[in-house]
């Protein structure tokens, strides 16, 4: 038998049918292609959206807190007040007590402030008051605004990550349900033919 007619002819293998095998013999399903596209989109959303959401929410919270800082700094100031009576108690807690002070215009005012227990009557204490002469708390500072910005930004980033994870898991569950349904439908068609071979 000549080499030309031999089934074991030398030389490179023929390319016949390789294109058909590459197209029809692929094990990639439409659901697999959709899953790859779906995960890529989620990855882009996570990589781009997470820092944008964190930065946007953090900066918005910081700016809002800084407005509060500026308003409180402009409206509140400290004065030296005198206790009108002794603050009774033996613990380290602060208790509300009546205090009296004189405004810059000479107006005598009174109010209630938190004072350490055991402070005698007539003792000088520093209290924060508003322009209207009401005792209040100390104004918040820039550190509070910075902390608020970081916390809100971190929470926004975690929220985006959690939503992306939930969407990923939910999408994969739906895809797998669809695959199982397709497999069952295909098996219902193939199984009678396949099992019939053994009953002949």
């Amino acid at each position: 038998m000549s080499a030309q007619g031999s089934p074991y002819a030398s030389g490179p293998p023929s390319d016949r049918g390789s294109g058909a095998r590459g197209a029809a013999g692929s094990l990639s399903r439409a659901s697999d292609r959709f899953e790859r596209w779906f995960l890529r989109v989620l990855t882009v959303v996570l990589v781009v959206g997470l820092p944008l959401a964190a930065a946007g929410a953090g900066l918005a919270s910081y700016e809002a807190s800084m407005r509060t800082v500026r308003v409180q700094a402009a409206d509140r100031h400290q004065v030296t007040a005198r206790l009108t009576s002794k603050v009774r108690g033996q613990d380290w807690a602060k208790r509300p007590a009546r205090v009296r002070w004189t405004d810059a215009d000479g107006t005598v005012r009174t109010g209630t402030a938190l004072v350490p227990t055991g402070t005698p009557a007539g003792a000088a204490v520093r209290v924060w008051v508003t322009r209207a002469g009401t005792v209040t708390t100390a104004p918040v500072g820039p550190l509070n605004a910075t902390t608020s910005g970081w916390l809100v930004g971190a929470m926004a980033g975690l929220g985006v990550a959690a939503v992306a994870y939930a969407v990923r898991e939910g999408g994969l569950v739906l895809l797998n349900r669809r695959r199982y349904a397709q497999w069952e439908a295909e098996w219902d068609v193939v199984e009678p033919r396949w099992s019939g071979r053994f009953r002949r």
Side-chain angles (χ1 to χ4, degrees):
M1 181 183 286
S2 67
Q4 192 173 18
S6 170
Y8 306 106
S10 62
S14 172
D15 289 335
R16 260 183 326 184
S18 61
R21 283 197 304 272
S26 174
L27 295 178
S28 178
R29 300 162 296 183
S31 61
D32 297 326
R33 292 189 293 274
F34 177 80
E35 180 180 343
R36 287 194 294 270
W37 171 84
F38 175 67
L39 293 179
R40 285 173 187 158
V41 170
L42 273 183
T43 301
V44 171
V45 169
L46 195 62
V47 170
V48 176
L50 190 149
L52 285 178
L59 286 174
S61 175
Y62 173 78
E63 288 298 330
S65 298
M66 281 304 297
R67 284 194 292 272
T68 302
V69 169
R70 289 189 286 269
V71 168
Q72 291 188 358
D75 182 63
R76 302 180 185 187
H77 62 281
Q78 272 190 309
V79 297
T80 300
R82 299 282 177 179
L83 278 174
T84 59
S85 61
K86 180 180 178 179
V87 183
R88 302 189 181 278
Q90 300 297 326
D91 52 22
W92 293 95
K94 290 185 175 182
R95 298 184 185 277
R98 298 293 293 176
V99 295
R100 180 185 292 113
W101 73 96
T102 303
D103 276 345
D105 61 0
T107 304
V108 176
R109 297 185 182 275
T110 58
T112 302
L114 291 176
V115 181
T117 56
T119 306
V125 291
R126 296 287 287 175
V127 296
W128 286 93
V129 297
T130 64
R131 288 182 176 178
T134 304
V135 177
T136 186
T137 58
V140 295
L143 179 61
N144 297 77
T146 302
T147 304
S148 174
W150 279 106
L151 285 176
V152 171
M155 290 174 62
L158 288 174
V160 170
V163 169
Y165 178 79
V167 170
R168 175 184 178 276
E169 293 301 307
L172 293 180
V173 167
L174 293 177
L175 275 175
N176 285 332
R177 285 181 181 175
R178 180 177 176 82
R179 287 166 178 160
Y180 291 142
Q182 288 176 339
W183 287 339
E184 289 179 1
E186 290 170 1
W187 181 246
D188 287 342
V189 173
V190 172
E191 191 273 337
R193 301 176 185 173
W194 181 79
S195 59
R197 296 167 55 194
F198 300 99
R199 291 195 294 267
R200 290 176 183 175

